[in-house]
Amino acid sequence: MLKGISPLLSPELLKILCEMGHGDEIVFADANFPAVSMAQRLVRADGHGIPELLEATLELFPLNRYLTHPVMLMQVVPGDPVETPIWEVYRSLVDKSEAGIEFAEIERFEFYERAKKAYAVVATGEKALYGNLILSKGVIG
């Protein structure tokens, strides 16, 4: 154990976060996401929801201020009547960490292609539909 670091962040996830450089992306994937077939590097976080992992990650992880949208969500498929209240939870957590961050909504298959190129994918137990999230790493100045 380390002081000041959430126990939700496994040694494997901490290593990944540390290895990532400016502009590298990490996917926090919900339980329905095809994480194993998409990931270059897969981190298992089964049983954990994305909000608590996001909050713990943002304590250590700078967001990419050189991008207009350093946080990306999977866009709802047109015609799908599903609601996405988890997005407001994400916005609240990001605002708490770094004010003024803009989110983008990316079409589903474009999101999958971006996930395939991401530095890592974190497979979570998140049950919210369209709960997937991509973060682009920034710099500490």
Side-chain angles (χ1 to χ4, degrees), residues 44-139:
R44 302 298 314 196
D46 303 290
H48 297 296
I50 292 175
E52 57 263 28
L53 287 167
L54 178 61
E55 183 173 31
T57 298
L58 290 173
E59 290 179 17
L60 308 174
F61 188 91
L63 293 171
N64 189 354
R65 295 235 175 222
Y66 292 99
L67 285 182
T68 305
H69 303 102
V71 179
M72 293 149 270
L73 305 165
M74 181 186 285
Q75 186 179 68
V76 175
V77 173
D80 190 342
V82 71
E83 298 290 323
T84 56
I86 196 156
W87 292 2
E88 291 310 313
V89 175
Y90 295 164
R91 283 187 174 89
S92 173
L93 292 170
V94 169
D95 283 346
K96 183 174 137 188
S97 174
E98 294 189 46
I101 296 292
E102 298 287 330
F103 285 49
E105 294 179 24
I106 299 175
E107 187 273 332
R108 178 178 162 215
F109 292 105
E110 184 181 335
F111 191 99
Y112 288 157
E113 289 306 310
R114 196 159 193 148
K116 289 176 186 176
K117 296 174 187 165
Y119 189 83
V121 175
V122 181
T124 75
E126 181 58 56
K127 292 183 181 108
L129 297 177
Y130 297 98
N132 304 301
L133 175 78
I134 298 174
L135 304 178
S136 176
K137 188 173 185 182
V139 297

Side-chain angles (χ1 to χ4, degrees), residues 10-21 24-28 40-44 61 118-122 137:
S10 68
E12 183 181 16
L13 182 52
L14 286 170
K15 178 182 180 292
I16 293 286
L17 295 174
C18 188
E19 287 174 346
M20 291 175 67
D24 281 340
E25 295 179 351
I26 188 166
V27 178
F28 286 85
Q40 292 185 45
R41 293 166 193 83
L42 179 67
V43 178
R44 302 298 314 196
F61 188 91
Y119 189 83
V121 175
V122 181
K137 188 173 185 182

